[in-house]
Each structure stands twice: as structure tokens, then as C-alpha cells.
Amino acid sequence: MKVISKTHVGMVRNNNEDSLLVREPFLFAVADGMGGYSAGEVASRETLRAFEAATHDLRHQKDCDVVEVLLDAFAKANKHTFVLAQKNSAYKGMGTTLTALYLPGDNTAYAAHVGDSRLYLYRNNTLSQITKDHSYVADLLAQGKITSSEAFNHPKKNMLLQALGVEEEIRTDIFHFALEKGDILLLCSDGLSDMLRDMEIAHILEASDFENAATALLEQSLDNGGKDNISLIMIAVEEDD
Ligand code: CA
């Protein structure tokens, strides 16, 4: 397995509210925080910290129920950040996306997801978005009310339907799929997927080797405007992952 992660403040913002978790070879996550002043940074960082602590069983207990542990870790991370936001007026209204990937090492992948950060799978020159954005615009698109091009340019693109830390309960999506040699997994914040259409991401992955592709994804996001913080984690699946 090869892993590369990158995060960049972008061309417009003064602070980076994205946080990354990279625990090779099994646990990876992107969190994209929101909130006034530094609250977005606190939300993404604290949520990842609580999430990682709550996934302890994945590393130390061979026969645990992975889906149950992931759902529980999301619930605990949500609660942790929700309580912080309630207790401190400077953190009021803060929240974060969380998209996490767990690779137990048996050629399977588990993803858990809330918000509009994304997990993509690039396989046989085809890019698929595994996660579904919990956003107003993604719902309009799913209902056939707008086209994908209208979705990409929609003014309410960043309106989330749920995030961690905002409400007491969350509904976490879980995905489970088999890995194949040559797969590339891409976790990213919307600072990347808002700047690059799926077709552009696929072209970059097709045209460059693994290391150069990560750099090119970041640079193209910046060239296209870099309107938000940009984060990505790329994982190349090799033999015996
Ligand atoms: Ca963002």
C-alpha cells in the first residue's frame, strides 16, 4: 500500500479548518470543520481525536463488529464535539464533516460518512464516488430536479443537511466493499471536489503516477480557484493489502 496526504489552506481563506487522520495501514479520515473564528478548526480536530480514541477496538480486538465500532465511534465523536459546542460560547454552532476509511488488511474496505467530504474509488480507469453528500444540492440532484452541471455550480452547494457536533443524534452512512490490486482510494474535503469535476479528477489519476497525481490534484484545485481549504488522502492498493 502507498499513502499520500496533503492539506492546503487554499487561495482565499486565512485558516485551515480541515483535519486529517492518517494511521497507516488501516485508518484514515478527513474532517472539514465549520464555525466562526477558530471554531471550525477545533471542531474538525476534536472530532477526529474523539473518533480515533473510540476506534481502539479495531486495532486491539480481532473479532469486533467493525460496523458497530464505526457507528459507535461516530456517535461518540459527535457527542464529544456537541458537548464542547454547548459548553463554550466561542464554539457555538460549530460542526464538522467526517469521512473515515478502515482497511482491516483482508482486501476489504469500510467507510463511514457524515457530511460532504468524499470517498472516491478509482478502478480500471473509472472514478466512482462511494459516499453520498449529505447536502441540499445532492438531494436536489438525487431527485432529478437539477443536473450534475447545475449541482457543481449551485450557489447553495455548501449547505449541509447534517454534520457532527451540531445535533445530539446523527445518521452515519456505512459502506463496505472488496478491494482489488491497482485500486486508488481518494478521501477529500469539498475544497477539492468543489474545484475539480469528477472528470478532471479521473483525468489526473489516469495521466500521472501516484505521487504526481496527488500533487496535481492539489495544484489543479488551487489553479481552479482554491476557494476553500483543500485536503486529500490517497491510497494505492497493492498486492496483499
Ligand atoms: Ca470545506
Side-chain angles (χ1 to χ4, degrees):
M1 162 188 299
K2 284 185 289 192
V3 179
I4 295 186
S5 60
K6 291 181 184 290
T7 187
H8 193 289
V9 69
M11 305 300 280
V12 175
R13 300 194 171 211
N14 297 318
N15 59 338
N16 191 344
E17 299 181 323
D18 291 352
S19 294
L20 301 180
L21 177 70
V22 178
R23 295 286 178 266
E24 291 185 49
F26 57 92
L27 192 63
F28 308 89
V30 171
D32 174 356
M34 67 204 82
Y37 303 100
S38 65
E41 290 168 64
V42 172
S44 64
R45 193 179 61 230
E46 284 293 323
T47 298
L48 275 189
R49 201 168 63 80
F51 169 73
E52 187 183 15
T55 56
H56 178 270
D57 283 357
L58 293 179
R59 276 158 287 162
H60 300 281
Q61 218 176 301
K62 273 275 170 269
D63 54 354
C64 65
D65 182 329
V66 173
V67 170
E68 205 173 289
V69 173
L70 287 172
L71 288 174
D72 182 57
F74 265 59
K76 281 180 177 150
N78 177 58
K79 189 73 183 289
H80 172 76
T81 303
F82 180 75
V83 168
L84 268 184
Q86 299 297 309
K87 280 205 292 209
N88 189 328
S89 62
Y91 299 157
K92 199 172 178 343
M94 75 176 177
T96 185
T97 72
L98 179 58
T99 303
L101 181 65
Y102 172 61
L103 306 177
D106 59 358
N107 296 311
T108 60
Y110 293 85
H113 166 76
V114 168
D116 68 348
S117 298
R118 289 182 179 175
L119 172 66
Y120 288 99
L121 170 64
Y122 183 70
R123 173 181 292 170
N124 300 329
N125 300 321
T126 304
L127 186 75
S128 319
Q129 185 183 330
I130 301 288
T131 50
K132 309 254 180 301
D133 298 348
H134 297 143
S135 70
Y136 171 68
V137 166
D139 268 16
L140 291 181
L141 181 60
Q143 291 163 27
K145 290 182 177 162
I146 56 171
T147 66
S148 55
S149 180
E150 285 167 336
F152 191 81
N153 295 304
H154 202 285
K156 289 186 177 165
K157 205 172 168 176
N158 297 314
M159 191 187 285
L160 288 182
L161 298 182
Q162 63 164 348
L164 279 82
V166 180
E167 290 178 48
E168 236 163 318
E169 301 291 329
I170 46 160
R171 294 179 318 280
T172 303
D173 292 341
I174 296 278
F175 304 87
H176 177 224
F177 53 98
L179 293 171
E180 294 177 10
K181 185 177 174 246
D183 284 351
I184 291 177
L185 298 159
L186 171 66
L187 282 163
C188 66
S189 62
D190 67 343
L192 188 140
S193 52
D194 279 355
M195 291 294 108
L196 301 180
R197 292 166 191 274
D198 287 5
M199 201 188 293
E200 284 180 275
I201 296 174
H203 281 158
I204 288 170
L205 293 174
E206 193 182 342
S208 326
D209 66 27
F210 184 70
E211 282 79 9
N212 290 327
T215 305
L217 286 171
L218 175 58
E219 285 180 355
Q220 193 62 52
S221 303
L222 292 167
D223 284 353
N224 289 4
K227 290 182 186 156
D228 195 358
N229 311 138
I230 301 159
S231 298
L232 65 110
I233 303 172
M234 257 173 69
I235 299 155
V237 178
E238 300 176 306
E239 214 107 46
D240 302 323
D241 285 337

